[in-house]
């Protein structure tokens, strides 16, 4: 199963011959040294589905897994990008979630990013992929690694139960906005569960209407109230949900900017977004990035990282227009 979208920078290669790609990849990894440019030229210009065909053809014709060769020949962040590209979308999400949970400490930002931004279908797919690959329940692993209301929000999102309808119940939208206002700004303390029951369950179109009503009632955007009423991981996950409801490309543009601004680079976030969104909405993410920060994503990546790592990310980003 591959990620679907029509605003990606990576599209299907028109003249796709997996046998030819396999021969070129073998040549790039044989002998002394590795021809990274050839690997980039092929893998950054094939869809997830086409890369799976390359993997299958490599195993049939060579009798071994191409992933073994790639992992042994490549290193560092460049290898991380290539390994990600060779997975299906559900397998890659499962892989990133596994690392977020089982690595040193817990990467709550990764859990938040993936669970807040994926559709019901995508959540169901990576939950199944996680179980198949690691033999464990994703929900159990998340519950074993998180706690409190933050855990409850993640578990709610994991159920993939968001309403997919297009309709808006006006009376319900007003009630939802009022309920959240009374659970936060209008009372001493905060009833976070009320925010969960609205933000994790209602449809996108309905929530956009709720946000309008909330501003009328409170005089503030819902994001402002969340920042005033909550903190830490819980604040982050609710803000991520609201951001994704408003504009998923803007959410990812902000994440990319934060991964590269200032001293150091959050390579894990940069890689995960570039790999996972390349076929879906990277064109929209680039547009929002420029609109928000006045610089192109391409130029930001170019000035922030280097070498083959930079080269492959720039190919996934797509040329400046």
């Amino acid at each position: 199963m591959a990620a679907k979208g029509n605003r990606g920078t990576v599209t299907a290669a028109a003249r796709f011959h997996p046998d030819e790609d396999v021969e070129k990849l073998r040549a790039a990894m044989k002998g002394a040294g590795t021809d990274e440019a050839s690997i980039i030229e092929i893998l950054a210009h094939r869809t997830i589905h086409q890369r799976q065909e390359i993997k299958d053809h490599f195993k049939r014709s060579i009798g071994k897994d191409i992933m073994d060769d790639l992992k042994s020949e490549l290193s560092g962040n460049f290898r991380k990008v290539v390994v990600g590209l060779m997975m299906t979308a559900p397998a890659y999400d499962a892989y990133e979630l596994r690392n977020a949970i089982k690595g040193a400490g817990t990467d709550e930002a990764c859990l938040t990013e993936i669970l807040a931004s994926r559709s019901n279908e995508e959540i169901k797919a990576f939950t199944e992929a996680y179980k198949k690959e690691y033999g464990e329940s994703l929900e159990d692993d998340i519950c074993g690694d998180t706690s409190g209301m933050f855990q409850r929000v993640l578990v709610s999102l994991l159920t993939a139960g968001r309403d997919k309808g297009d309709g808006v119940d006006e009376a319900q939208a007003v009630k939802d906005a009022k309920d959240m206002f009374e659970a936060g700004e209008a009372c001493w303390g905060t009833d976070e569960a009320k925010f969960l029951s609205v933000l994790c369950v209602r449809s996108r179109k309905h929530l956009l209407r709720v946000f309008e009503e909330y501003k009328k009632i409170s005089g503030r955007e819902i994001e402002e109230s969340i920042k005033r009423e909550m903190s830490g991981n819980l604040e982050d996950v609710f803000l991520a949900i609201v951001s994704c409801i408003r504009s998923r490309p803007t959410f990812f543009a902000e994440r990319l900017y934060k991964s590269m601004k200032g001293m150091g680079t959050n390579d894990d976030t940069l890689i995960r977004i570039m790999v996972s969104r390349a076929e879906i909405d990277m064109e929209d993410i680039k547009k929002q990035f420029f609109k928000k920060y006045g610089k192109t994503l391409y130029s930001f990546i170019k000035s922030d990282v280097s070498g083959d790592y930079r080269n492959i990310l720039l190919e996934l980003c797509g040329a400046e227009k």
Side-chain angles (χ1 to χ4, degrees):
M1 183 186 298
K4 300 295 183 185
N6 58 8
R7 295 288 297 160
T9 47
V10 174
T11 56
R15 297 181 180 85
F16 175 59
H17 302 287
D19 54 334
E20 293 179 9
D21 284 348
V22 165
E23 287 305 313
K24 289 176 183 176
L25 288 168
R26 284 194 71 202
M29 293 186 284
K30 281 173 63 177
T34 304
D35 182 0
E36 289 88 353
S38 292
I39 293 172
I40 294 171
E41 178 59 33
I42 295 170
L43 298 184
H45 296 279
R46 303 292 184 270
T47 60
I48 296 172
H49 179 73
Q50 289 175 331
R51 292 186 211 113
Q52 298 313 300
E53 288 193 51
I54 290 171
K55 281 177 68 175
D56 292 343
H57 192 86
F58 193 97
K59 183 170 280 190
R60 280 199 306 272
S61 58
I62 311 300
K64 60 190 298 193
D65 193 331
I66 192 173
M67 296 292 277
D68 294 336
D69 281 5
L70 290 169
K71 288 176 181 178
S72 66
E73 290 291 326
L74 310 179
S75 62
N77 289 319
F78 178 58
R79 175 169 65 179
K80 288 182 181 179
V81 177
V82 171
V83 167
L85 289 174
M86 296 305 291
M87 296 182 187
T88 64
Y92 186 56
D93 278 346
Y95 172 80
E96 287 292 297
L97 290 166
R98 181 73 171 184
N99 287 340
I101 298 166
K102 297 298 183 180
T106 304
D107 186 350
E108 291 91 353
C110 174
L111 299 179
T112 292
E113 176 195 303
I114 292 176
L115 289 173
S117 66
R118 302 310 194 247
S119 68
N120 290 348
E121 292 74 21
E122 288 168 333
I123 291 171
K124 290 174 183 175
F126 69 61
T127 300
E128 292 174 6
Y130 191 97
K131 179 71 173 179
K132 181 178 179 181
E133 181 65 27
Y134 306 110
E136 296 173 15
S137 159
L138 176 56
E139 181 180 332
D140 288 347
D141 282 354
I142 285 178
C143 286
D145 227 44
T146 58
S147 61
M149 185 56 67
F150 177 60
Q151 177 192 99
R152 288 173 61 182
V153 173
L154 296 183
V155 170
S156 178
L157 293 172
L158 262 181
T159 65
R162 184 176 299 286
D163 182 1
K164 296 191 293 183
D166 281 335
V168 175
D169 182 332
E170 291 293 334
Q172 186 64 51
V174 172
K175 183 178 184 303
D176 286 341
K178 185 178 179 183
D179 285 347
M180 285 197 292
F181 177 66
E182 292 178 349
E185 296 276 6
C187 72
W188 183 262
T190 307
D191 180 3
E192 296 99 343
K194 180 55 67 176
F195 283 78
L196 182 158
S197 67
V198 176
L199 295 178
C200 296
V201 177
R202 303 287 191 250
S203 70
R204 177 177 184 272
K205 194 169 182 180
H206 181 89
L207 282 173
L208 291 174
R209 188 74 186 89
V210 171
F211 299 160
E212 292 176 1
E213 286 299 322
Y214 188 90
K215 188 173 183 180
K216 288 180 185 177
I217 294 170
S218 69
R220 294 189 178 94
E221 298 288 0
I222 185 71
E223 292 93 334
E224 293 178 60
S225 290
I226 289 171
K227 290 175 184 177
R228 286 163 58 91
E229 295 294 316
M230 301 170 201
S231 61
N233 295 320
L234 183 61
E235 175 188 341
D236 291 341
V237 72
F238 278 138
L239 288 175
I241 292 168
V242 172
S243 181
C244 287
I245 291 296
R246 290 197 190 277
S247 169
R248 201 172 273 116
T250 301
F251 170 73
F252 286 117
E254 291 171 352
R255 293 276 294 159
L256 286 168
Y257 177 76
K258 290 175 183 176
S259 76
M260 292 181 281
K261 73 167 186 174
M263 296 293 290
T265 303
N266 186 332
D267 295 295
D268 289 342
T269 298
L270 175 58
I271 291 167
R272 182 172 56 250
I273 296 175
M274 295 304 296
V275 169
S276 65
R277 310 311 294 185
E279 257 179 81
I280 304 173
D281 54 3
M282 188 57 69
E283 292 291 359
D284 294 325
I285 293 170
K286 288 162 62 179
K287 181 178 179 181
Q288 292 304 318
F289 192 97
F290 184 77
K291 181 179 178 181
K292 194 169 180 67
Y293 304 110
K295 295 182 179 180
T296 65
L297 177 58
Y298 189 97
S299 67
F300 232 73
I301 292 171
K302 192 172 183 179
S303 64
D304 202 66
V305 297
S306 61
D308 296 310
Y309 175 39
R310 174 174 65 185
N311 294 339
I312 196 166
L313 289 184
L314 291 177
E315 291 301 311
L316 294 177
C317 179
E320 292 187 283
K321 296 180 180 177

